[in-house]
Amino acid sequence: MALIGDSTDKAKQLLQAGKLVSIPTETVYGLAGNALNQKAVLSIFKAKNRPAFDPLIVHTHHINEIAHFAQLPSKWINELADAFWPGPLTLLLLKKKIIPDLVTSGLDTVAVRIPNHPLTLSLLKQLDFPLAAPSANPFGYVSPTNAQHVQDQLNDQVDYILDGGACGVGIESTIISLIEASPKILRLGGLSLENIEAVIGKVAVASHSSSSPAAPGMLKSHYAPKKSIVKIDEVNMKDFEDFSEIGAVVFQHTRKEIPKQNQIVLSPTGDVDAAAKEFFAAFRNLDERPEIKSIWVENAPNHGLGRAINDRIKRATAK
Ligand code: TXA
Ligand code: MG
């Protein structure tokens, strides 16, 4: 079983030796390896059972570092970086040769992020290479938001889990592509559309489908628990008599039909940020309870991080 601890020295030694370390970020835990080491990157894909066509995000601690591995021509990058880095924002830029093709699945772009977590920033500063890190979950499953989640799922597929506590944001970073004429959001996430638009004005949001993903890996069916999952809105309550095997993830209020102990309220005060923080853990919790056979889920209000929550719900309930 992978060791959990808070030693950046140990994490550093392992990463320098080409091993994998799970790192805390403000969004979700990542499964990190040296982004410039092909073997390390290959073992990330293996550990997650992730298809090679789904590229990884490269993490670093300072915008000056990015120039080594990506081009920074876009006029938006400084505005976005000043406003939101370190933070839950990933930017898609044109890649430089030093980044192995494996990291980017052969694309000429690279996704880059400066995460906002003190332990991971300190670790990144001590390394002379950036870290490639997808979320530290088996491919397609919900993302981990604490060290225990990583241990439960990746077990000995990871050499060390750097414990930075529970993730403050709880949902993956927002990805913005800066390679076209104007910025485009490829994935809604932990930085809200409203906050982004306050800095750079109106931004397009890409719509995705599994058959022709606007970006590889932005798959329609994703973030799903193992049990069957349906949207509460699509259920006709009258079709059911017995709700004892139903679990529910609700936004603010419980449903009277379903046993109270089977329901997880994301935010009793109706706060979308608080809900995002609890979101993935709620699915994990219900997924692990043997008496619950099916999980029903309710959308969040469609503003702020509620949009990112609803995007995850859409993918988790996609067939
Ligand atoms: O918050 C986060 O972004 C977390 C933490 C660990 O930083 N990471 C994360 O990584 O969510 P991952 O691998 O689970 O999701 C990254 C997404 C994938 O959907 C991938 O397809 C997309 O980013 N992506 C990465 N590089 C890309 C590229 N060059 N072009 C298009 N999409 C890319
Ligand atoms: Mg992921």
Side-chain angles (χ1 to χ4, degrees):
M1 192 180 293
L3 191 65
I4 298 181
D6 60 4
S7 166
T8 52
D9 277 345
K10 185 167 172 75
K12 177 179 147 188
Q13 279 160 21
L14 287 164
L15 289 163
Q16 283 171 336
K19 306 281 187 192
L20 303 188
V21 172
S22 179
I23 54 167
T25 84
E26 77 283 33
T27 58
V28 301
Y29 273 69
L31 177 63
N34 179 350
L36 309 183
N37 176 334
Q38 293 250 26
K39 268 195 185 153
V41 175
L42 193 62
S43 55
I44 295 175
F45 280 92
K46 275 198 189 145
K48 272 189 67 114
N49 201 9
R50 182 182 178 110
F53 61 75
D54 194 4
L56 308 178
I57 296 176
V58 173
H59 299 70
T60 185
H61 63 91
H62 197 277
I63 187 160
N64 293 347
E65 298 293 313
I66 296 173
H68 297 307
F69 54 84
Q71 292 172 30
L72 305 172
S74 162
K75 65 174 172 159
W76 288 282
I77 186 163
N78 288 323
E79 277 174 88
L80 287 167
D82 286 349
F84 302 119
W85 270 346
L89 169 69
T90 294
L91 295 178
L92 202 67
L93 304 169
L94 285 174
K95 104 184 207 1
K96 288 189 176 169
K97 270 210 181 89
I98 188 171
I99 297 287
D101 285 337
L102 199 54
V103 172
T104 61
S105 304
L107 297 171
D108 56 5
T109 55
V110 60
V112 182
R113 174 159 117 84
I114 303 180
N116 190 16
H117 191 289
L119 267 189
T120 292
L121 281 174
S122 143
L123 173 65
L124 285 164
K125 278 181 200 150
Q126 295 172 50
L127 296 170
D128 56 8
F129 49 82
L131 291 175
S135 50
N137 50 286
F139 184 70
Y141 194 65
V142 293
S143 297
T145 51
N146 66 39
Q148 191 60 51
H149 293 163
V150 180
Q151 194 181 53
D152 291 347
Q153 285 191 307
L154 289 182
N155 208 346
D156 44 16
Q157 304 274 41
V158 53
D159 297 287
Y160 186 59
I161 301 168
L162 189 61
D163 189 354
C167 300
V169 173
I171 232 158
E172 300 86 348
S173 62
T174 299
I175 304 180
I176 305 182
S177 167
L178 293 183
I179 57 170
E180 288 167 54
S182 47
K184 189 186 209 175
I185 296 183
L186 298 185
R187 176 176 73 182
L188 293 163
L191 179 65
S192 73
L193 181 63
E194 290 87 339
N195 284 351
I196 294 164
E197 292 191 334
V199 172
I200 57 168
K202 199 102 192 97
V203 191
V205 181
S207 57
H208 315 295
S209 84
S210 56
S211 50
S212 65
M218 306 293 185
L219 301 177
K220 205 166 136 200
S221 172
H222 216 71
Y223 306 111
K226 296 183 203 91
K227 289 176 184 162
S228 84
I229 164 163
V230 284
K231 283 190 197 165
I232 287 190
D233 292 351
E234 291 168 6
V235 173
N236 188 352
M237 295 282 183
K238 294 198 183 79
D239 292 345
F240 293 81
E241 279 168 21
D242 180 5
F243 291 85
S244 61
E245 295 186 340
I246 306 294
V249 178
V250 293
F251 180 66
Q252 187 177 6
H253 303 290
T254 52
R255 298 289 172 121
K256 61 178 186 316
E257 297 87 349
I258 306 167
K260 252 208 159 90
Q261 70 274 16
N262 289 6
Q263 300 190 60
I264 298 179
V265 179
L266 293 178
S267 171
T269 59
D271 176 51
V272 285
D273 291 349
K277 193 172 175 209
E278 300 306 319
F279 183 70
F280 285 130
F283 281 105
R284 251 167 225 281
N285 177 318
L286 295 179
D287 224 10
E288 278 160 17
R289 284 165 54 178
E291 75 280 16
I292 288 170
K293 305 288 184 245
S294 171
I295 302 172
W296 294 1
V297 58
E298 177 184 61
N299 272 334
N302 216 30
H303 61 79
L305 298 198
R307 285 182 224 268
I309 293 175
N310 293 341
D311 170 78
R312 305 302 183 273
I313 291 174
K314 195 165 126 197
R315 289 172 214 267
T317 53
K319 296 292 169 313

